[in-house]
Amino acid sequence: MFQKQLTARDAARGLWVPILVLTWISLGACGRNWNKASEASDGSSPATQNVPPDDGTQNPSLGTSCSSDVAPEPGVVMTDRGAVRGAKEGLTWAYKNIPYAAPPIGALRWRAAQAAACWTGIRDATAWGPACPQSDAAGTAPISGNEDCLQLNVWSKSSSRAAKSPVLFWIHGGGNAIGSATEENNAVRVYAGQSLAEKQNLVVVSINYRLGALGYFAHPTLASENANGSTGNYAITDMVAALEWVRSNAAAFGGDADSITIAGESAGAVNVCALVSSPLAKGLFHRAIMQSGGCTARALATAQTAGSQLVTAAKCDGKDPIACMRALAPDLVLNAIPTKVDVAGAASGYGPVIDSFALKDAPLAVIRAGAHHKVPMIVGANGSETSRLVPVARTATDAQYQAAVRALFTAPGIADRVLSQYPAASYSTPWEAYVALTSDAKFICAARRTLHALAAGNSPSAYRYFFTHALDNSPLLKPYGAWHGVDVLYLFDKLTIAGYAPGDGDLFSAETIMSSWGRFARTGDPSDAETLWPVYDSATDPYLQIDSQLSTGMGVRTV
């Protein structure tokens, strides 16, 4: 059952990071003769009425609290927009589909997130809301979701303001093109936070944000609409708005507004790094966790060129292209240039933009300069990130492996350099060599670069992990090792999905991740009396390896 449900589409959906292959090869593998070049790169590579001026931030006129005469009762929480009624799930109260921003439709499409309107009475918060509009990982499925999707979900053991539990703020992945906080697999909501909230005494928040062209479309006309010249980072303003909501409402759910940890996996980790680097997020969080993602952003010129191509493809390159684009249905926008999300190959092209407002510079450059938000961080990756999605069969020959490498690295001389660093003879099979080089290129080296930048920028303590546990009791999946996104199932305690029976090693790994993340959210240090995480040091590159038992080492795949 387990292996049938976790398909390649599921692995890619919400579980991807946009690091260009050619960017990687210019940086080099982790410690494999190209370290200095690696460390030097920045990785840059209802709506129309009374629309406020877009200054690139939330509209302050909508940011005041709303009054309510709702009487207190169990399961009802008064937010700054209105009252919500949740449902009991185990030991927690769950509150779903709470709007944290106005629907980004009509004239609000491609504007910074605006505060949600007030409501009267009690809003039902017991049912899941919609995902934001999207296709699938291949970019071929019909568009699903709803543009009125800027909602979040909360799990808490207590709504007493005296509880002051730390908040874990989760940002889903998906190449910034697919995925949602309501992600479902075999009738199980992967990011449902009940177990994590219960076992770690956290307030868990998961959010939606605009995706693909609806979240990251950049265009000069859009830049001219606001005083800051900002364009392309609408999804980032969604996340900032959601963090503002959490800061304003955490106490009502028993959370501590002065103890917020942002965490994300794959593209969610890319967005965590963007928030760490963005002046818009100042003071909104206190710790950060990046799982299987790097610090990347598109140059403004690159993003605007792509935006102009989208306008042309959508047949909107007339007198008023943005008015034309805003008049299109979401599926016409997203299908104008279909987007593919590929864990092992090229990037989707969507993600944060260096617009000199939301992002002043490439995130790695901001961090190295010490101009970021200096908070404790956990950064890491999985051992076999790309194993389930590489275009090379496990039975591939050396010749087939070399052909695949040459197809991936087409610039003159690059494939030869890659093959010299990752010769098939150094691995059990050519397939393992391909998994290793692509996992290093897109994920493992990205973690190292991020940590080196944090050290250079005089950040507080940072911690590196390397997750390598393979599922104990799945003969079909065990050979794939710790693939991209499987760590999310451990963190959210979803290992029994599709009837899978976790073994002792699975349970140990899950307990390690959940408790470490919980301690980090409380104290900024994931260590306990039995497990001392090494504080990161660029000179030695220390890490904690998480498997059926724990170990420490120095330099992941540097030799």
Side-chain angles (χ1 to χ4, degrees), residues 147-199:
E147 208 167 355
D148 182 2
C149 61
L150 299 187
Q151 53 88 6
L152 52 76
N153 314 290
V154 182
W155 289 264
S156 177
K157 291 175 69 174
S158 172
S159 59
S160 169
R161 289 179 175 269
K164 292 190 123 313
S165 297
V167 178
L168 184 75
F169 180 96
W170 180 257
I171 305 172
H172 71 80
N176 283 313
I178 58 176
S180 76
T182 66
E183 193 74 30
E184 190 171 10
N185 187 314
N186 198 52
V188 173
R189 303 287 179 167
V190 177
Y191 304 129
Q194 173 195 338
S195 185
L196 187 56
E198 284 183 3
K199 293 184 176 182

Side-chain angles (χ1 to χ4, degrees), residues 239-241 243-244 247 257 260 262 280-286:
M239 298 167 210
V240 170
L243 282 167
E244 291 275 13
R247 185 174 63 175
I260 298 171
I262 59 172
L280 302 186
K282 182 178 180 180
L284 296 181
F285 60 91
H286 310 89

Side-chain angles (χ1 to χ4, degrees), residues 61-435:
S61 67
L62 295 180
T64 55
S65 294
C66 309
S67 61
S68 175
D69 58 0
V70 172
E73 60 178 285
V76 174
V77 171
M78 186 64 207
T79 76
D80 65 354
R81 303 288 90 190
V84 293
R85 185 191 306 278
K88 202 70 184 292
E89 293 184 358
L91 300 178
T92 70
W93 284 95
Y95 305 84
K96 300 166 184 170
N97 194 23
I98 304 175
Y100 67 81
I105 59 179
L108 291 185
R109 183 188 282 176
W110 299 311
R111 290 184 184 269
Q114 304 294 309
C118 302
W119 61 82
T120 59
I122 302 176
R123 178 187 174 93
D124 181 77
T126 61
W128 295 96
C132 294
Q134 60 192 274
S135 180
D136 62 359
T140 57
I143 301 301
S144 61
N146 191 314
E147 208 167 355
D148 182 2
C149 61
L150 299 187
Q151 53 88 6
L152 52 76
N153 314 290
V154 182
W155 289 264
S156 177
K157 291 175 69 174
S158 172
S159 59
S160 169
R161 289 179 175 269
K164 292 190 123 313
S165 297
V167 178
L168 184 75
F169 180 96
W170 180 257
I171 305 172
H172 71 80
N176 283 313
I178 58 176
S180 76
T182 66
E183 193 74 30
E184 190 171 10
N185 187 314
N186 198 52
V188 173
R189 303 287 179 167
V190 177
Y191 304 129
Q194 173 195 338
S195 185
L196 187 56
E198 284 183 3
K199 293 184 176 182
Q200 299 304 318
N201 196 26
L202 301 172
V203 173
V204 177
V205 178
S206 64
I207 70 161
N208 279 351
Y209 55 93
R210 284 174 276 184
L211 299 168
L214 294 172
Y216 298 96
F217 170 51
H219 195 273
T221 303
L222 289 171
S224 69
E225 287 185 347
N226 63 83
N228 300 296
S230 177
T231 182
N233 286 313
Y234 308 103
I236 300 301
T237 72
D238 294 344
M239 298 167 210
V240 170
L243 282 167
E244 291 275 13
W245 186 97
V246 170
R247 185 174 63 175
S248 298
N249 294 285
F253 293 88
D256 186 353
D258 294 321
S259 183
I260 298 171
T261 298
I262 59 172
E265 186 268 345
S266 196
V270 172
N271 295 329
V272 165
C273 189
L275 292 170
V276 168
S277 309
S278 173
L280 302 186
K282 182 178 180 180
L284 296 181
F285 60 91
H286 310 89
R287 287 165 285 282
I289 300 172
M290 294 174 58
Q291 298 176 219
S292 300
C295 292
T296 62
R298 295 185 295 166
L300 180 60
T302 300
Q304 290 188 332
T305 296
S308 296
Q309 292 169 347
L310 181 69
V311 168
T312 299
K315 297 180 171 48
C316 279
D317 48 357
K319 182 177 180 181
D320 193 342
I322 301 306
C324 175
M325 293 291 287
R326 284 186 170 133
L328 295 177
D331 60 322
L332 295 179
V333 174
L334 297 178
N335 283 333
I337 300 180
T339 300
K340 181 180 179 181
V341 177
D342 187 353
V343 170
S348 76
Y350 286 112
V353 176
I354 306 167
D355 64 349
S356 299
F357 178 63
L359 282 177
K360 299 287 189 181
D361 201 344
L364 283 182
V366 172
I367 292 171
R368 284 197 197 98
H372 62 299
H373 308 304
K374 296 181 179 179
V375 298
M377 293 185 66
I378 292 176
V379 182
N382 298 348
S384 303
E385 293 274 4
T386 63
S387 62
R388 299 193 62 230
L389 291 166
V390 294
V392 173
R394 289 174 57 198
T395 56
T397 64
D398 182 64
Q400 290 170 325
Y401 163 66
Q402 291 193 39
V405 171
R406 296 188 185 283
L408 186 60
F409 300 101
T410 58
I414 298 300
D416 289 335
R417 292 175 62 191
V418 173
L419 289 167
S420 71
Q421 295 296 318
Y422 294 86
S426 295
Y427 299 85
S428 298
T429 65
W431 173 80
E432 288 188 8
Y434 196 88
V435 170

